[in-house]
Amino acid sequence: MLENLGLVLALAVLIVMALRGINVIFASLVSSLLIIATNQLPLAESFSQYYSFGPLGAFTFAGKFFLLFVCGAIFGRVMGESHAAASIAIVLSRKLGPHRALLIAALASAMLTYGGVVVFIVIFAIYPLGLRLLQEADIPKRLLLAAIALGSGTFTLTALPGTPSVQNVISSVALGTDLFAGAIYGIIATFVMLGCGLWYLESERLKAIRNGEKFVPAPGEITQTDDSDEEMPHWFLALIPLVTVLLAIIIPRLLVDSVTDMSAGSSVAALITFANAQPIIWPSIALLIGSVCCVILFPVLRRHPVQSLSKGAEDAIMPLLNTAAVIGFGGIVTQTEGFQQFTNAIMQVDLPPLISMFVSVSLTSALVGSSSGGLQIFMETMAQDYLAMGISAGELHRLATMASGGFDSLPHCGAVVAMLTITRQTHREAYKDLAVITVAIPVLATLVAMASTLVV
């Protein structure tokens, strides 16, 4: 009993501290200590292994994503300092209208994610552009994070058939299905997530206008105040670094089938093979190439290139550490007896199979604060039981994948913490909108898709 109470209390403490703006690293350590004490876990092993270097360890995550965070932050810095992002944003605002800034950010993020670009890269790539779009339209900054999350962290992550996301791959590998499994349910959920998400963003934009809410940059954030600045590059030149990054990431995926037609010793074939085998290193290299393009193209950066690149690297530290700390908390959670009892208890509750599955995946993802982590645990420990209950592999693939992308995004979610830190916002400022987009709407969409199994 004490073990389960400690688990719930630790999660509540972490969420409350995050919402109150307390440093998330400190919050994760306090919450982890609470779990260790109530579950009688070994102190040294818990922090040196489960929290730090286990499968869900903080430094396991930090080591894996270190280069990506650094290169992404550098790219965001040089796109801002060179005013390239501002130049692109001004053109888009004039052509499409400033009021469509949130739509542009959401759809651009969706295209990148569905093209195989991981969520963290999308944030780094879109944020400088979105920041300027919001400044042009005088839209509150809190809504930019929600727009990026709609495009990169909802339907393209779990629902759209064929998405190359980690979540979709986990289900495919575990169940022996392809990435398009349960396509009809995914399409239904996509319409719900995208439609409701865009409606919410537009409602909040109009509400902000009525309330006099304006765009306010974070302290130290790079914004452009003079559109006539002679150092602002032409929009076409400004696009080159961004397009270079995206093409470098996407083209190897498109050319993967051509590798077999090339000679084994071909350097091009070797490069394509390497790019597709490195889902983190290769995008990091692409971001670094884009940063070098900025230095070459824009005179304002050539005056102090090393300083700009160095500041960008510094920008990566806190987002990486904050995210890793929350991941480490999840690593300790999975080692508790309460967590094991929880997974076993769900299977024994008398619920319809689909409802039971939804509860299992949702709560597992909520506890560890990760959709991929929760889904992986579910697939390893419970998936076969649900197949035995009569759920088809295709249904289980799509519905479980979508279920993992709802309650995972509570305030202690690593991706949520990363988004807030990268965009220099707090839970208090932006989490309400983020919760609607990444929790409430995906849960609704999953329930609608589950209901559609009765008629499809």
Side-chain angles (χ1 to χ4, degrees):
M1 181 65 181
L2 180 61
E3 293 88 349
N4 295 335
L5 181 61
L7 191 60
V8 173
L9 183 59
L11 182 60
V13 167
L14 179 59
I15 291 175
V16 170
M17 292 178 80
L19 289 174
R20 289 184 176 275
I22 296 172
N23 180 274
V24 75
I25 298 175
F26 175 74
S28 76
L29 291 173
V30 171
S31 301
S32 296
L33 276 172
L34 186 55
I35 289 180
I36 292 169
T38 55
N39 284 264
Q40 298 182 333
L41 296 175
L43 180 65
E45 188 176 0
S46 294
F47 277 115
S48 63
Q49 293 300 319
Y50 309 149
Y51 185 93
S52 301
F53 297 107
L56 287 177
F59 295 107
T60 300
F61 173 88
K64 183 178 181 181
F65 286 100
F66 174 77
L67 189 60
L68 176 61
F69 268 71
V70 170
C71 293
I74 289 173
F75 181 69
R77 166 67 63 167
V78 295
M79 284 291 287
E81 284 195 1
S82 66
H83 310 317
S87 178
I88 298 170
I90 289 170
V91 170
L92 287 173
S93 294
R94 289 172 180 169
K95 295 292 183 182
L96 301 176
H99 64 287
R100 291 194 173 93
L102 298 173
L103 174 64
I104 293 170
L107 295 183
S109 300
M111 288 187 289
L112 293 182
T113 309
Y114 197 55
V117 182
V118 299
V119 175
F120 296 124
I121 299 175
V122 173
I123 301 170
F124 284 123
I126 296 297
Y127 182 57
L129 172 62
L131 192 66
R132 178 55 183 176
L133 283 169
L134 261 66
Q135 185 181 6
E136 279 286 296
D138 205 15
I139 296 173
K141 188 181 164 186
R142 62 183 173 85
L143 293 178
L144 174 58
L145 182 55
I148 295 175
L150 173 62
S152 63
T154 59
F155 61 95
T156 55
L157 204 66
T158 63
L160 267 183
T163 178
S165 69
V166 172
Q167 290 80 355
N168 206 26
V169 171
I170 287 173
S171 295
S172 177
V173 171
L175 299 172
T177 50
D178 62 36
L179 297 180
F180 291 86
I184 185 63
Y185 309 119
I187 292 171
I188 291 170
T190 293
F191 277 112
V192 175
M193 291 186 205
L194 183 58
C196 292
L198 291 176
W199 170 82
Y200 175 79
L201 290 175
E202 181 63 11
S203 298
E204 285 298 303
R205 185 185 72 83
L206 295 176
K207 185 188 297 183
I209 292 174
R210 292 194 297 270
N211 294 337
E213 195 176 352
K214 305 291 186 179
F215 172 85
V216 179
E221 199 157 43
I222 301 169
T223 56
Q224 183 69 25
T225 56
D226 182 4
D227 292 348
S228 65
D229 189 339
E230 61 182 14
E231 292 185 333
M232 182 177 292
H234 188 275
W235 67 267
F236 183 80
L237 280 180
L239 273 175
I240 292 177
L242 184 58
V243 171
T244 298
V245 171
L246 302 182
L247 291 180
I249 295 170
I250 295 171
I251 285 178
R253 297 180 183 275
L254 301 177
L255 297 180
V256 64
D257 293 332
S258 66
V259 173
T260 55
D261 300 327
M262 301 179 184
S263 62
S266 168
S267 58
V268 175
L271 183 61
I272 293 172
T273 301
F274 173 80
N276 285 295
Q278 299 294 334
I280 296 172
I281 298 298
W282 182 253
S284 301
I285 294 172
L287 286 162
L288 191 58
I289 292 171
S291 300
V292 172
C293 283
C294 286
V295 173
I296 293 173
L297 289 171
F298 309 130
V300 67
L301 292 177
R302 292 202 296 270
R303 298 172 191 164
H304 43 77
V306 175
Q307 290 89 336
S308 296
L309 298 175
S310 176
K311 287 179 182 177
E314 290 176 9
D315 292 342
I317 302 304
M318 288 314 299
L320 180 60
L321 290 180
N322 286 345
T323 308
V326 177
I327 297 291
F329 168 79
I332 288 185
V333 167
T334 59
Q335 299 300 318
T336 63
E337 177 139 357
F339 181 77
Q340 302 303 321
Q341 291 173 350
F342 152 75
T343 58
N344 294 331
I346 289 178
M347 297 301 302
Q348 298 171 6
V349 176
D350 187 19
L351 291 173
L354 283 180
I355 299 296
S356 176
M357 176 276 298
F358 173 78
V359 173
S360 299
V361 181
S362 296
L363 292 183
T364 304
S365 298
L367 280 173
V368 299
S370 166
S371 58
S372 58
L375 186 61
Q376 183 74 55
I377 293 169
F378 170 83
M379 288 296 172
E380 289 178 356
T381 59
M382 293 179 268
Q384 294 304 315
D385 294 317
Y386 285 103
L387 289 174
M389 293 179 188
I391 303 177
S392 70
E395 285 182 353
L396 187 61
H397 174 135
R398 187 56 53 203
L399 295 175
T401 303
M402 291 189 295
S404 73
F407 288 106
D408 69 306
S409 299
L410 297 180
H412 67 297
C413 170
V416 168
V417 172
M419 284 183 170
L420 290 169
T421 311
I422 291 169
T423 58
R424 305 188 190 191
Q425 296 179 91
T426 66
H427 281 81
R428 186 186 296 275
E429 292 170 335
Y431 183 70
K432 178 185 78 76
D433 302 306
L434 202 59
V436 172
I437 293 295
T438 63
V439 179
I441 292 176
V443 167
L444 171 64
T446 303
L447 294 175
V448 169
M450 287 167 55
S452 72
T453 62
L454 301 175
V455 295
V456 174

